[in-house]
Amino acid sequence: MSSTVVQPTAPASAVAMNRICKRFGALRANDEVSLHVARGSIHGIVGENGAGKSTLMSILYGFYQADSGEIEVEGQPARIRNAHDAIALGIGMVHQHFMLVETFSALDNVLLGAEPSWRLGPTRQRVRRELEALMRDTGLQLKLDAIVETLPVGERRRLEILKALYRGARILILDEPTAVLTPAETETLFATLRQLRERGSTVLLITHKLKEIVALCDRVTVMRAGRVVLDTRTADTTIDGLAEAMVGRRVQLGRREGAAARAGAAPLLSAQNLSWRDEQGVLRLNEVSLALRPGEIVGIAGVSGNGQSELLDVLAGLATPASGSLQLGDQRFEPQRWLTPARARRLRLAHVPEDRHRRGLVLPFGAWESAVLGYHRLARYARRGFARRGAMRDDTAQMMADYDVRPRAPGLRSAKFSGGNQQKLVLAREALHQPQVLLVGQPTRGVDIGAIEFIHGRLRAMRDAGGAVLVVSSELDEILALSDRVIVMNAGRIAGELPIEACSESALGCLMAGVQST
């Protein structure tokens, strides 16, 4: 009797996208892209800004229509003309930027757009019961009656996932889900995603954080210039291998030593005993003192919400402290006559804000307009009350060339650039006028690995030219790679300060948690 060898079967596909092409004018965003995602898996999709990964996922969710190619969902041909078609097929998408009504409750955000009838009272009660059962099943716990604007960012992300699952999503697309999360919130999210995988859900994860890909995903697809250049099990690759596939060359993100800070040099900026309360009277900054000297990068580490953002606002002149003082060059400022952003620019202090959309750019403006914000009254850009648009466009074109902003189109709306290119444009604007002090919030949030390398290089160049750079980042790897010394904040106070030689993730983690390391 002959025996029959049974070949192991490949796992069934939740999603199969075959030979997808998509053009925007002359730009070929997706060029014969094929993607196969196994059911009940977590599949990572990575690539530089503009590689085509978000376009591909937007086609899967119905935001765009492919010019050619085929899509299958759970083994069946699918025509996805809009988001309603995607939702009907069991596809949900959680976007990088929150898509929530901040003045509504968590419950009403889930209900919004899915109201089965005009009788909201009984409907709300039924939805509450269903959500409570869903939260028990998935571990996505949150307060349904809480107003969204009062929720921490981790709970807002949880709410968006819950909203997609409530609408029947079996296939979940997550676009940069950890971009605004703390390490603890990220771990909580990962535990939830693993639990969803165990329940049979499929997750497609778009992220720039390669550590997350290796830690979480079963398989990863790398895109570059609109094509798939690598598709492999994560167990068969490394972070360095993924980075090289993304960029097409080896990427250096480790620490690079620069010239030592000028010994004995007077600080370029010195703050003493800064305290600040929010509108509710909560003390957010509590007697904070620091100094920035020529030729150094100082990193501010801490779990989000411990005063780092408020410190940047006070130092940049966007908020006035209740007490304390600031010395900037030969100018001294006290609460009765505090620094303003316009005065800061004249004193050669520049600021790259944490939220580039709300504070760094005007998204409907052309890039050439965003590239001169705050500097538009300089003589180069204005004459007798009239804007010199030619000079503005010329400088923007030069910034784009110097900072590799893609596409190099000064007239393109600011909203049309990818996150990494928006960040490079803001940094180019603030660096153009050669500041002595640069304050940078979250320099590489939502930015691809090639742009991270570029931005880090520019910050080091400012330091090496004799400037002082203050960096606030939620990424400990970034703090350790850039800083010459690190200040840790906890509960609005400085919990400790360490030279970079004494820094480790464990030592900084203890200070961030408010405990002394041993």
Side-chain angles (χ1 to χ4, degrees):
M1 181 182 295
S2 62
S3 61
T4 302
V5 177
V6 179
Q7 297 293 335
T9 57
S13 289
V15 172
M17 304 182 77
N18 299 307
R19 303 179 305 280
I20 299 295
C21 292
K22 180 65 178 177
R23 284 180 176 272
F24 296 98
L27 175 65
R28 186 173 294 184
N30 289 155
D31 186 5
E32 296 282 332
V33 174
S34 293
L35 174 72
H36 295 262
V37 181
R39 187 179 299 161
S41 70
I42 301 177
H43 192 115
I45 303 174
V46 299
E48 289 191 277
N49 292 119
K53 55 191 185 298
S54 293
T55 298
L56 187 68
M57 291 299 97
S58 294
I59 290 170
L60 180 59
Y61 195 61
F63 283 156
Y64 298 140
Q65 302 294 299
D67 298 329
S68 61
E70 300 172 345
I71 300 174
E72 293 181 3
V73 177
E74 296 181 331
Q76 299 298 316
R79 185 184 178 199
I80 305 175
R81 298 161 297 182
N82 50 48
H84 293 292
D85 287 346
I87 293 168
L89 289 166
I91 301 171
M93 188 166 185
V94 175
H95 303 269
Q96 177 178 354
H97 301 288
F98 294 119
M99 308 287 281
L100 300 168
V101 180
E102 292 195 348
T103 55
F104 279 19
S105 70
L107 175 64
D108 286 342
N109 267 277
V110 174
L111 187 60
L112 186 65
E115 307 91 335
S117 77
W118 59 270
R119 299 181 64 205
L120 290 182
T123 298
R124 186 177 280 111
Q125 293 173 10
R126 178 178 57 79
V127 171
R128 181 187 297 275
R129 290 193 298 270
E130 293 172 353
L131 284 174
E132 287 171 346
L134 187 58
M135 287 192 293
R136 286 194 299 270
D137 290 344
T138 62
L140 287 164
Q141 295 296 325
L142 53 85
K143 298 175 181 176
L144 294 177
D145 293 318
I147 302 302
V148 165
E149 65 184 359
T150 69
L151 293 175
V153 290
E155 292 190 28
R156 296 189 202 188
R157 187 62 79 212
R158 237 175 286 166
L159 172 59
E160 294 203 296
I161 295 174
L162 196 65
K163 183 176 178 179
L165 294 176
Y166 179 76
R167 283 162 168 72
R170 301 178 300 278
I171 300 164
L172 198 59
I173 305 167
L174 303 179
D175 189 359
E176 297 289 349
T178 66
V180 295
L181 301 187
T182 67
E185 289 169 333
T186 296
E187 284 303 317
T188 300
L189 175 63
F190 284 4
T192 298
L193 296 180
R194 293 186 183 103
Q195 190 169 344
L196 291 175
R197 177 177 59 187
E198 294 303 312
R199 295 174 68 242
S201 297
T202 303
V203 178
L204 289 89
L205 177 67
I206 304 172
T207 181
H208 292 120
K209 299 180 181 180
L210 299 185
K211 274 189 175 180
E212 296 181 356
I213 292 292
V214 172
L216 186 65
C217 295
D218 303 296
R219 194 169 187 89
V220 58
T221 298
V222 181
M223 295 185 66
R224 186 170 75 239
R227 289 178 171 268
V228 171
V229 295
L230 179 68
D231 185 273
T232 183
R233 294 191 315 148
T234 51
D236 296 333
T237 190
T238 64
I239 290 175
D240 289 342
L242 292 174
E244 188 169 348
M246 284 172 60
V247 181
R249 58 176 173 80
R250 292 192 66 185
V251 178
Q252 299 291 331
L253 287 181
R255 178 164 178 76
R256 299 184 195 175
E257 297 293 339
R262 297 175 185 175
L268 295 174
L269 178 149
S270 177
Q272 294 293 324
N273 303 320
L274 297 177
S275 294
W276 183 84
R277 294 180 183 272
D278 64 17
E279 293 178 354
Q280 287 73 44
V282 178
L283 189 63
R284 298 295 185 183
L285 286 181
N286 189 354
E287 299 288 321
V288 172
S289 299
L290 59 84
L292 305 179
R293 295 180 174 80
E296 69 172 351
I297 297 176
V298 177
I300 303 285
V303 176
S304 180
N306 277 272
Q308 308 95 305
S309 300
E310 291 81 1
L311 177 61
L312 279 182
D313 283 354
V314 168
L315 295 179
L318 295 170
T320 301
S323 60
S325 64
L326 175 68
Q327 188 78 27
L328 181 59
D330 60 356
Q331 300 291 309
R332 181 178 175 83
F333 299 92
E334 295 182 343
Q336 299 81 3
R337 190 186 64 90
W338 196 249
L339 180 71
T340 64
R343 186 76 178 277
R345 284 188 284 270
R346 290 196 295 272
L347 293 172
R348 298 180 65 189
L349 181 148
H351 176 215
V352 176
E354 291 183 292
D355 189 334
R356 55 181 171 261
H357 284 177
R358 289 188 177 185
R359 287 184 163 181
L361 302 162
V362 178
L363 294 176
F365 278 13
W368 66 272
E369 295 170 288
S370 284
V372 298
L373 288 175
Y375 300 93
H376 52 283
R377 289 190 174 88
L378 293 178
R380 174 165 176 75
Y381 299 140
R383 179 178 294 171
R384 297 175 182 173
F386 292 94
R388 302 182 65 190
R389 298 189 177 194
M392 293 176 179
R393 288 179 175 270
D394 289 346
D395 281 4
T396 303
Q398 189 61 52
M399 289 183 219
M400 289 180 157
D402 291 345
Y403 279 75
D404 192 28
V405 177
R406 307 175 195 175
R408 293 182 186 173
L412 187 66
R413 281 199 303 128
S414 302
K416 293 294 185 181
F417 291 86
S418 67
N421 286 299
Q422 290 173 343
Q423 187 75 350
K424 286 192 281 187
L425 184 63
V426 174
L427 182 60
R429 177 186 71 211
E430 299 305 323
L432 179 67
H433 305 282
Q434 299 180 328
Q436 287 188 324
V437 178
L438 179 66
L439 311 177
V440 189
Q442 309 298 340
T444 58
R445 176 174 281 170
V447 171
D448 68 63
I449 198 164
I452 290 172
E453 181 188 40
F454 184 91
I455 290 169
H456 284 187
R458 289 291 177 165
L459 296 179
R460 291 187 184 104
M462 293 180 198
R463 172 198 64 188
D464 295 343
V469 182
L470 182 70
V471 172
V472 169
S473 177
S474 59
E475 301 293 332
L476 274 185
D477 286 347
E478 182 162 66
I479 291 290
L480 293 171
L482 282 173
S483 304
D484 299 297
R485 58 187 172 95
V486 178
I487 294 171
V488 181
M489 293 190 68
N490 176 266
R493 301 180 69 98
I494 291 181
E497 179 177 332
L498 295 172
I500 194 61
E501 298 81 10
C503 288
S504 66
E505 287 195 13
S506 60
L508 294 177
C510 287
L511 290 170
M512 288 165 67
V515 299
Q516 295 294 323
S517 59
T518 57

